[in-house]
Amino acid sequence: MRKKTVRNVMIGYVVYGILVWLYLFHFAPTGVPYEYVGTAADPTTFMTRQQLETSIQFARTRHLIFFLSSPFYWLIIFRFIFGGMSEHFEEVVKTRISNHFLQVLVYYFMFASITFIALLPFRFFSYQLARFHGTSLMTLPHWLRNRGIDFVVDFLLMLLLIQVVMFLIRAFKKKWWLVTWVLFIPFAFFFMLIQPILIDPLYRDFQPLQNAGLEEKILEMAEEAGVAADRVFEVVMSGQTSTINGYVTGVGPTARIVLWDTALEQLSENEILFLMAHEIAHYVNRDIYLGIGVALVVALGALYVVDKVLNKVDKDSFARIPVAIVTVSILLFLLSPATNLISRRLEARADAFALEMTGDPEAGISLFQTFARTSLNEVHPPVVVRVIRSTHPSLFERMVVLIDE
């Protein structure tokens, strides 16, 4: 029966993959609505035919990887739970290790290693795809280093979370999920506080912005908007990617404005100012706190559901760990259309703020056109992709708003 179930699940996964592939590469429309053909929002006006075809193939292949990897991750976890691996590892650690903390550490390390290795081919293919199309310039050793950092950071944070939650389950029993949520609130703010100074430097090299004149203009714009920042940081990304980016990160004393050096090389000053005005808007509108608020609401619901699911699992079994993880992962996927919709509205509001602050729609349009060319993002992606994956309005939607001004 078990072999038949595994076979049916695999057949279902293959059929699902074929349907997604057919949708992305054969049924989903390309191009922009007829009324915008020939306008500045039409990629045929600012991209060559080869660039346009490449961007569609590149973007849709990345979408395919996403839609295949998410359920594959769930299947690996279900296989770990119901295929005997979880039971075997738990028996090994409980037989050979007496300390409960170390038991959980070793068990979770085995689980995390298996899922990390299982997903590595998807990540490697995505990396090679980006290398082939030139959006990634990262060497293989550098890429492997970053994936190693990912594993270590994620493992340590999750191990801490698991140990705390297991303690709270023992201490508060039926109300553990509510106590966990209350403790999650200060942790979310604390993580936002330390991320710019402890996490981000693990991946990137930061330095003061070399262009003093540009820094002065950005800081003047930030001051005008009421953002307390006294320095603009430049992060060296030119050895890793050809894409461009800029952002404002941190809260309180760790707030900082960051520009990739690729943006400094490829964008005009007006385009950079429009980009920075958009990012500053997130602080002015307190979007970072709204984002945390949405995350807290989602976390509360997720913890409640996890509690109900864990009630069906032996309270002494370590299998509760992967069961909780896969439950949260599926819930986040199911909720992504709603959370992404909120995010897209906040991003659209930030675009409107940038337009009001700079009064320069042409700079915004040319900025988004450069985004499309350098990142090879599809200007007007399929509706399913926009609903499930997109945290920002499509580049087409963002340019249309500026064209209509």
Side-chain angles (χ1 to χ4, degrees):
M1 183 64 181
R2 180 173 292 176
K3 290 183 178 179
K4 184 178 179 180
T5 301
V6 172
R7 183 189 64 190
N8 290 340
V9 169
M10 292 308 300
I11 291 173
Y13 177 74
V14 171
V15 171
Y16 160 80
I18 292 173
L19 291 176
V20 172
W21 174 76
L22 287 172
Y23 170 74
L24 289 174
F25 292 95
H26 295 279
F27 297 139
T30 58
V32 300
Y34 176 77
E35 59 269 29
Y36 288 99
V37 172
T39 68
D42 181 357
T44 61
T45 65
F46 59 86
M47 299 175 75
T48 66
R49 182 180 181 86
Q50 182 177 357
Q51 285 176 324
L52 183 57
E53 291 177 352
T54 299
S55 69
I56 294 173
Q57 292 298 314
F58 176 62
R60 297 200 176 187
T61 302
R62 292 175 63 195
H63 299 323
L64 179 63
I65 293 171
F66 168 81
F67 284 113
L68 290 180
S69 62
S70 294
F72 183 79
Y73 174 65
W74 304 333
L75 291 177
I76 290 298
I77 297 179
F78 285 131
R79 179 67 174 168
F80 180 85
I81 297 169
F82 300 110
M85 282 186 286
S86 175
E87 185 177 353
H88 172 70
F89 287 148
E90 183 173 353
E91 181 180 353
V92 169
V93 298
K94 287 185 175 180
T95 300
R96 301 184 181 183
I97 303 173
S98 58
N99 182 275
H100 183 266
F101 177 87
L102 293 178
Q103 288 176 349
V104 174
L105 186 153
V106 174
Y107 174 88
Y108 179 66
F109 178 80
M110 293 175 177
F111 167 76
S113 299
I114 289 172
T115 53
F116 178 81
I117 293 171
L119 288 178
L120 201 57
F122 289 98
R123 292 168 177 154
F124 182 71
F125 182 75
S126 182
Y127 158 70
Q128 290 288 13
L129 182 71
R131 283 277 297 180
F132 178 78
H133 289 292
T135 59
S136 174
L137 307 175
M138 197 180 302
T139 63
L140 181 58
H142 195 165
W143 182 82
L144 291 172
R145 170 186 173 274
N146 282 358
R147 299 294 73 75
I149 294 174
D150 286 343
F151 178 81
V152 172
V153 172
D154 291 346
F155 173 76
L156 292 177
L157 289 175
M158 280 300 298
L159 179 64
L160 174 63
L161 177 63
I162 289 168
Q163 295 286 6
V164 170
V165 169
M166 292 182 75
F167 169 79
L168 294 175
I169 290 175
R170 293 193 299 270
F172 295 94
K173 296 181 174 60
K174 292 185 178 181
K175 294 298 182 182
W176 70 268
W177 59 274
L178 187 56
V179 177
T180 300
W181 180 76
V182 171
L183 293 177
F184 178 73
I185 296 173
F187 175 80
F189 283 95
F190 177 71
F191 186 81
M192 292 298 299
L193 181 71
I194 67 170
Q195 181 178 345
I197 56 177
L198 293 182
I199 305 299
D200 291 348
L202 294 175
Y203 297 90
R204 297 162 184 163
D205 296 323
F206 292 85
Q207 62 185 20
L209 182 62
Q210 303 301 299
N211 187 330
L214 178 60
E215 179 181 42
E216 183 179 354
K217 291 182 179 179
I218 293 173
L219 291 177
E220 286 177 357
M221 189 164 58
E223 182 180 3
E224 180 184 345
V227 175
D230 58 3
R231 176 176 291 182
V232 180
F233 286 85
E234 178 180 336
V235 58
V236 180
M237 295 294 294
S238 53
Q240 302 182 41
T241 181
S242 61
T243 60
I244 58 179
N245 197 14
Y247 57 92
V248 181
T249 186
V251 292
T254 65
R256 57 172 59 179
I257 300 172
V258 179
L259 268 172
W260 288 8
D261 64 337
T262 50
L264 294 167
E265 294 168 0
Q266 299 181 53
L267 297 178
S268 69
E269 183 175 284
N270 286 343
E271 291 167 344
I272 291 174
L273 292 177
F274 191 96
L275 172 61
M276 288 292 93
H278 170 98
E279 298 302 332
I280 289 170
H282 288 309
Y283 267 84
V284 174
N285 296 328
R286 301 186 182 278
D287 290 344
I288 188 169
Y289 299 106
L290 289 173
I292 292 175
V294 171
L296 290 175
V297 172
V298 171
L300 180 62
L303 286 168
Y304 177 78
V305 172
V306 167
D307 175 59
K308 299 305 178 185
V309 173
L310 290 185
N311 286 338
K312 303 180 183 300
V313 183
D314 182 355
K315 66 178 183 179
D316 295 321
S317 173
F318 286 171
R320 300 182 113 203
I321 296 171
V323 166
I325 289 173
V326 74
T327 300
V328 171
S329 178
I330 293 173
L331 281 173
L332 292 179
F333 184 86
L334 294 177
L335 290 172
S336 60
T339 55
N340 287 343
L341 176 61
I342 295 172
S343 177
R344 288 195 298 272
R345 290 185 174 178
L346 296 181
E347 295 296 338
R349 185 170 67 172
D351 280 348
F353 181 95
L355 176 60
E356 181 180 352
M357 172 163 273
T358 63
D360 193 353
E362 291 78 15
I365 292 171
S366 60
L367 168 66
F368 297 140
Q369 290 175 343
T370 304
F371 269 134
R373 288 192 297 266
T374 58
S375 64
L376 295 181
N377 281 331
E378 191 173 2
V379 173
H380 193 46
V383 62
V384 171
V385 172
R386 298 201 301 272
V387 169
I388 296 179
R389 293 208 68 192
S390 298
T391 58
H392 289 61
S394 70
L395 293 173
F396 167 76
E397 292 168 326
R398 301 175 82 174
M399 287 187 284
V400 162
V401 172
L402 298 176
I403 290 172
D404 291 341
E405 284 296 321

